[in-house]
């Protein structure tokens, strides 16, 4: 008698491997050979008695490759159904239930004699039982019974309005209430049955056909919404937006009050829609432009972000209905305060935080219902204007985020002014204010406040006039008499311009730029001092804030483009200390300055620049979060084009 090891035994239960040489490349021959092999093995296996099978299971419990036996395409498990002995795969077989009140009709129950030595003494062969468990045999409990019920009965779409159907619903809800709904942790079995509730079509929803007739349909939980006859939501009136069917109305007629309450909670648990949800969206660079508040949009940065939104929110608002307004309102006041802020973190750059899509959509649209029946934007409505069924709750801060009631103070001030205008004293003051040139009493009072503030700071009337009417630079000589000739001379001087040198410290640091900056300071002072001898900043266009002891203006000389091969005095700009700091340290466009300068000089000849207007010789950048303009004189741009060409 030959002996087999476990691998050889497992091979005997597998199909024969296909070999083109053995079967002359004839696939049909291989299939026929395997069929004969499996039939012979099946016949041999089924002839073995229960005791032999129990020893066989116990033996296989020690097999080193249990997973291979689990995935084996062979009917290893002996069952007894309706008085007939059969063999099935392990995932279709169950151990007998521990409680007799669970019906096993039509269920594949493992024959006890294949894993129990003495049935009267309940003497179980633990090795045989463990092997059956390992390959997928499960106890037949209420979870298994419900699983089979849903899979076997409701995939065939039974008669919906029957006693058996509502009995099934009651059983399912009772099981959920006693098990899943109370579990603070979830076993794999509970997750399995929970997912089955969510994916099987055992619930009835309603739809209207083309003739307007309401019909019932078998649907999954995610295809259904709860309407007012069960749980006051109003969602049934918005099916054209969320595309879900209202729950079948007849459940409430077949279930008593307590059963119906439990049924509604069960529906909510398994994913039937009963309210709007604020969802969290994780996105990557490709979706960074979806939120217009993202300061990094349109910059092609790689990174990750998080945002919050209500699906189909714009469409709900677009219905312009009381129902949609109330649903959105209730969702907002009950949401977490964290949903007001989105974020985006570009690689190797600081994280940006900004209004979420939820706040962005709600802030500027008219969607909040007033007592008068009209819809208002959040700014234009107050708490007192809300209907009674719009509870006010700003504990999460979201009403503040959408600027709810922002114009309320303005409205109160407007009312106060209207009252004052009926006062004779106010009328006299108004006449006097207009004689002084003011539009109103309020404008005159504001002007007087401003005057007192300036005087308290030591300002004279002349200085106040200069603040109100700041001088603007006037450059009478802001052109070149011969741009082409000037360009040639500038290019000749660039031959001897010093090379940019760096040395390695913790990072590459540019050195030896003292002489170039000194030359640049003299060059810029000459370029940006106007005919009144006032030196102006190229960004704020204001007079430099103070002078040194020698009477000269103090200003910062800041390099414009940082990646040139040589140092050019023309590649600097004249800035006041504040704008210099912002340009160097709060400038997200720092790496793109070269491109911005190119837009001013690449496609323009020196003559074109010389004949240009002031607004053609500047570019916009964002500094410290605000858009600023860098202004150039014509001659400076001509020179800059010459050294960069």
């Amino acid at each position: 008698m030959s002996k087999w090891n476990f691998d050889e035994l497992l091979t005997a239960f597998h199909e024969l491997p296909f070999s083109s040489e053995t079967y002359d490349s004839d696939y049909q021959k291989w299939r026929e050979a395997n069929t004969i092999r499996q039939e012979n093995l099946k016949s041999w296996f089924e002839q073995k008695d229960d005791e032999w099978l129990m020893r066989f299971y116990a033996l296989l419990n020690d097999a080193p490759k249990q997973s291979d036996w689990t995935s084996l395409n062979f009917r290893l498990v002996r069952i007894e159904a309706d008085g007939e002995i059969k063999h099935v795969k392990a995932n279709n077989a169950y151990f007998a239930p521990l409680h007799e009140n669970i019906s096993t009709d039509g269920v594949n129950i493992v024959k006890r004699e294949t894993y129990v030595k003495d049935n009267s003494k309940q003497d179980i062969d633990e090795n045989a039982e463990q092997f059956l468990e390992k390959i997928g045999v499960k106890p037949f409990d209420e979870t298994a019974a419900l699983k089979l019920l849903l899979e076997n009965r409701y995939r065939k779409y039974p008669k919906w309005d029957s006693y058996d159907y509502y009995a099934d619903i009651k059983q399912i809800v009772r099981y959920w209430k006693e098990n899943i709904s109370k579990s603070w942790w979830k076993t794999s079995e509970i997750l399995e049955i929970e997912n089955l509730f969510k994916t099987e079509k055992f619930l009835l929803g309603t739809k209207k056909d083309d003739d307007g007739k309401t019909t019932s349909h078998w649907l999954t939980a995610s295809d259904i919404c709860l309407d007012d006859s069960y749980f006051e939501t109003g969602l049934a009136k918005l099916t054209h937006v969320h595309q879900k069917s209202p729950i079948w109305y007849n459940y409430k007629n077949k279930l008593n009050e307590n059963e119906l309450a439990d049924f509604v909670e069960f529906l909510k648990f398994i994913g039937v829609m009963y309210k709007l949800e604020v969802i969290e969206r994780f996105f990557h660079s490709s979706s960074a432009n979806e939120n217009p508040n993202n300061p990094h949009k349109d910059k092609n940065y790689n990174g990750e972000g998080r945002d919050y939104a209500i699906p189909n929110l714009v469409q709900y608002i677009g219905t312009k209905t009381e129902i949609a307004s109330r649903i959105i309102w209730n969702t907002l006041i009950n949401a977490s305060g964290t949903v007001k802020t989105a974020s985006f973190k570009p690689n190797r750059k600081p994280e940006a935080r900004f209004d979420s899509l939820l706040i962005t959509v709600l802030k500027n649209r008219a969607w909040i219902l007033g007592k008068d029946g009209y819809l208002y934007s959040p700014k234009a409505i107050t708490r007192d204007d809300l209907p009674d069924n719009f509870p006010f709750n700003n504990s999460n801060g979201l009403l503040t985020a959408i600027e709810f009631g922002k114009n309320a103070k303005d409205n109160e001030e407007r009312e106060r002014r209207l009252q004052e205008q009926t006062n004779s004293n106010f009328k006299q003051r108004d006449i006097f204010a207009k004689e002084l040139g003011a539009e109103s009493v309020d404008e005159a009072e504001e002007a007087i406040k401003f005057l007192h503030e300036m005087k308290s700071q030591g300002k004279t009337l002349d200085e106040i006039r200069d603040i109100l009417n700041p001088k603007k630079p006037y450059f009478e000589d802001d052109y070149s008499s011969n741009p082409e000739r000037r360009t040639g001379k500038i290019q000749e001087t660039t031959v001897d311009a010093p090379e940019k040198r760096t040395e390695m410290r913790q990072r590459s640091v540019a050195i030896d730029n003292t002489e170039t900056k000194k030359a640049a300071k003299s060059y810029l002072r000459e370029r940006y001092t106007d005919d009144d001898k006032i030196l102006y900043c190229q960004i704020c266009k204001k007079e430099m804030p103070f002078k040194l002891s020698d009477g000269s203006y103090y200003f910062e000389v800041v390099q414009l483009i940082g990646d040139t091969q040589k140092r050019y005095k023309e590649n600097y700009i004249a800035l006041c200390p504040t704008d210099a700091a912002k340009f160097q340290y709060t400038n997200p466009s720092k790496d793109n300055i070269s491109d911005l300068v190119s837009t001013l000089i690449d496609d323009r000849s020196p003559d074109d620049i010389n004949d240009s207007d002031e607004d053609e010789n500047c570019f916009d950048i964002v500094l410290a979060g605000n858009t600023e303009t860098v202004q150039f004189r014509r001659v400076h741009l001509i020179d800059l084009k010459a050294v960069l060409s």
Side-chain angles (χ1 to χ4, degrees), residues 153-162 165 168 201 204 218:
R153 182 179 296 179
Y154 291 97
R155 289 183 183 176
K156 299 175 183 177
Y157 301 149
K159 179 175 172 54
W160 51 265
D161 200 9
S162 66
Y165 174 61
D168 290 345
K201 293 184 178 181
L204 288 162
W218 292 103

Side-chain angles (χ1 to χ4, degrees), residues 331-343:
T331 302
L332 188 69
I333 65 174
N334 290 303
S336 166
T338 59
V339 303
K340 64 176 174 286
T341 305
S343 61

Side-chain angles (χ1 to χ4, degrees), residues 183-240:
S183 297
W184 61 270
W185 60 282
K186 295 183 178 180
T187 64
S188 59
E189 291 83 2
I190 288 180
L191 282 172
E192 180 182 358
I193 195 68
E194 180 183 332
N195 290 332
L196 192 62
F197 286 147
K198 293 181 177 181
T199 57
E200 287 294 327
K201 293 184 178 181
F202 71 99
L203 295 171
L204 288 162
T206 62
K207 295 181 181 179
K208 288 187 177 181
D209 57 25
D210 296 337
D211 297 329
K213 182 181 178 182
T214 299
T215 57
S216 62
H217 298 267
W218 292 103
L219 299 169
T220 63
S222 60
D223 296 324
I224 295 175
C225 69
L226 279 169
D227 67 4
D228 294 358
S229 60
Y230 293 89
F231 183 77
E232 189 177 355
T233 66
L235 291 170
K237 297 180 178 66
L238 298 168
T239 56
H240 60 289

Side-chain angles (χ1 to χ4, degrees), residues 539 583 587 589 593 596 619-623 626-628 630:
I539 290 181
F583 187 87
N587 182 359
S589 301
I593 295 296
L596 296 173
F619 60 76
D620 290 340
I621 56 173
V622 176
L623 301 180
N626 296 314
T627 302
E628 308 282 1
V630 182

